Amino acid sequence: MKWLRLQNPDVIASPGLVIDPDRVEHNIQSMIALVGGPDHVTRLRPHVKTYKMPEVVRMQLAAGIRKFKAATIAELKMVADAGAGDVLLAYQPVGPSLDRLADLIAQFPNTDFAALTDNLDSAEKIALRVGNDSRPFRLFIDIDCGMHRTGIALGPEMQRLRDWIQSQSAVQFAGLHVYDGHIHDASLEDRRRKSGEVIEAIKKYDSQYPVPTVIGGGSPTFGCWAAETAWQCSPGTTLLWDVGYGQSHPELDFEIAAALLTRVISKPSTNMICLDLGYKSVASEMPLERRVTLPDIPDAQLVGQSEEHLVVQTSATAKFSVGDSLLAFPRHICPTVALHAYATVIRDGKATGETWQVTARDRY
């Protein structure tokens, strides 16, 4: 981890999220470079689900990025509040979310909203609730390209959905959304091959039935979509990056921009320390042994975690006293950020006293 050692950790409560804006800025510039430089910045539609902070949206706006993607109603509102003009809800709105979406459309008339759909019944409900003849609501068809989570496969059923949308005056067929989240191989060659198969299928369809816009890829395949197409790319984790992607995809020029400050709260035995880093503070969907990296404890073995505690086995127990602080790096930063109310801003290795609220950590 190429992080400076924190000069004043005592001013940060633990467990606490910290963020380095200089590294965020580096990542923004790297995203722009990957799509061909500032002249091609319109190709970017970054996902905001990783950081959920309006300051990061505003940093991207300052860099010329105008389009965004969100996963929740709260994220939609955050992006619109920050002044963005175009945001896609990359989630098919159902139930009360349709009412909240309608409220946001009315509240932010200068922001163009869009959403995904993958079936006719949902498209009809969206059109009925948020459709507008004078300003048609944009619908992207969500394509299942192999993840089998959401979406509809290319074929006759998908074409019927497109035809219906195009027949309506209250909604507009905006294009295809193609998320290949199942492709995250460590091998760049494998990622290129697998994403290439998806790209070729979409190109073939586009050649037969031209599509206004294609939004493709995620963070692991961002470089592939950026190099092989002229379409919009929507990476998300690239803004903060993390240990998981950093280790798996070292060819991507992104820096880890967020970490966790934790403290030793007990020394239960001669080869154990306990940190205040339970699974209420760091994402716990990964296997315990890979959940978080502790650079100051090279031989750390994570042997137990509960709501507020992380037990670490190490031969260096004598090096630590109760109350000592350490930096921890989550393997998966996206769900980790959502566990914290705010991030403490770090500049040149020093906590500045400034905090950024994680305003979109709630869903609505």
Side-chain angles (χ1 to χ4, degrees):
M1 308 304 153
K2 298 178 181 178
W3 270 63
L4 299 173
R5 187 167 296 279
L6 288 180
Q7 299 175 34
N8 56 342
D10 291 346
V11 304
I12 304 173
S14 64
L17 179 67
V18 298
I19 189 167
D20 186 328
D22 290 338
R23 288 176 168 80
V24 175
E25 182 61 32
H26 168 88
N27 293 341
I28 292 171
Q29 295 305 318
S30 291
M31 290 194 310
I32 293 172
L34 267 175
V35 294
D39 291 342
H40 302 278
V41 72
T42 56
R43 293 186 61 201
L44 282 171
R45 185 183 287 274
H47 206 317
V48 306
K49 53 96 177 180
T50 294
Y51 52 84
K52 299 175 181 282
M53 294 177 244
E55 288 84 357
V56 181
V57 175
R58 287 193 282 267
M59 289 178 70
Q60 292 172 86
L61 288 170
I65 297 169
R66 295 289 179 265
K67 297 184 287 288
F68 296 88
K69 190 164 84 170
T72 67
I73 295 295
E75 291 172 9
L76 280 184
K77 184 177 186 301
M78 176 194 73
V79 174
D81 264 331
D86 184 335
V87 57
L88 165 68
L89 178 62
Y91 204 91
Q92 187 160 254
V94 296
S97 291
L98 279 167
D99 294 329
R100 285 292 291 120
L101 177 57
D103 291 343
L104 288 181
I105 293 170
Q107 185 179 351
F108 296 97
N110 294 325
T111 298
D112 287 328
F113 294 92
L116 301 185
T117 189
D118 66 7
N119 70 91
L120 183 55
D121 182 61
S122 293
E124 290 174 341
K125 287 182 170 65
I126 295 169
L128 182 64
R129 185 63 186 90
V130 301
N132 187 317
D133 288 341
S134 61
R135 189 180 181 181
F137 183 75
R138 295 175 301 150
L139 284 174
F140 285 83
I141 295 180
D142 190 21
I143 299 299
D144 180 3
C145 63
M147 193 172 188
H148 308 317
R149 182 178 70 179
T150 64
I152 185 171
L154 293 172
E157 187 178 356
M158 174 265 173
Q159 195 62 37
R160 283 192 291 272
L161 175 59
R162 175 177 175 170
D163 290 343
W164 182 86
I165 295 171
Q166 292 182 150
S167 73
Q168 303 300 301
S169 59
V171 290
Q172 174 188 355
F173 173 63
L176 305 181
H177 174 265
V178 190
Y179 177 58
D180 55 2
H182 59 294
I183 303 173
H184 42 72
D185 305 72
S187 164
L188 176 57
E189 181 181 350
D190 288 342
R191 265 178 287 140
R192 282 176 174 161
R193 176 177 54 80
K194 292 179 181 180
S195 64
E197 292 171 356
V198 174
I199 290 168
E200 286 307 309
I202 301 300
K203 284 183 176 179
K204 181 179 179 180
Y205 176 82
D206 184 43
S207 69
Q208 295 175 307
Y209 310 99
V211 178
T213 300
V214 176
I215 303 169
S219 294
T221 59
F222 174 29
C224 305
W225 284 79
E228 299 301 324
T229 80
W231 296 327
Q232 288 183 23
C233 300
S234 59
T237 309
T238 49
L239 274 302
L240 298 185
W241 213 225
D242 58 25
V243 169
Y245 279 170
Q247 290 177 346
S248 298
H249 315 312
E251 81 283 352
L252 292 171
D253 181 28
F254 298 104
E255 296 181 353
I256 293 177
L260 297 170
L261 184 90
T262 182
R263 287 186 171 87
V264 179
I265 55 172
S266 183
K267 297 174 67 176
S269 71
T270 56
N271 67 341
M272 300 279 189
I273 62 172
C274 183
L275 305 176
D276 57 354
L277 201 63
Y279 46 69
K280 286 184 176 179
S281 305
V282 61
S284 59
E285 87 276 29
M286 298 291 177
L288 174 60
E289 64 272 14
R290 297 193 293 130
R291 209 159 281 174
V292 67
T293 295
L294 300 162
D296 286 338
I297 312 178
D299 69 341
Q301 295 183 52
L302 312 185
V303 296
Q305 190 179 35
S306 50
E307 293 182 31
E308 308 293 350
H309 304 80
L310 177 65
V311 180
V312 180
Q313 181 175 306
T314 173
S315 61
T317 306
K319 172 184 172 183
F320 298 99
S321 299
V322 172
D324 285 352
S325 62
L326 303 89
L327 282 178
F329 294 85
R331 184 170 184 85
H332 195 186
I333 191 64
C334 307
T336 295
V337 170
L339 297 172
H340 296 265
Y342 65 89
T344 297
V345 175
I346 306 296
R347 296 185 188 275
D348 298 321
K350 188 174 183 179
T352 63
E354 180 184 3
T355 58
W356 290 356
Q357 299 301 306
V358 185
T359 58
R361 65 192 297 241
D362 295 328
R363 290 192 175 276
Y364 295 98

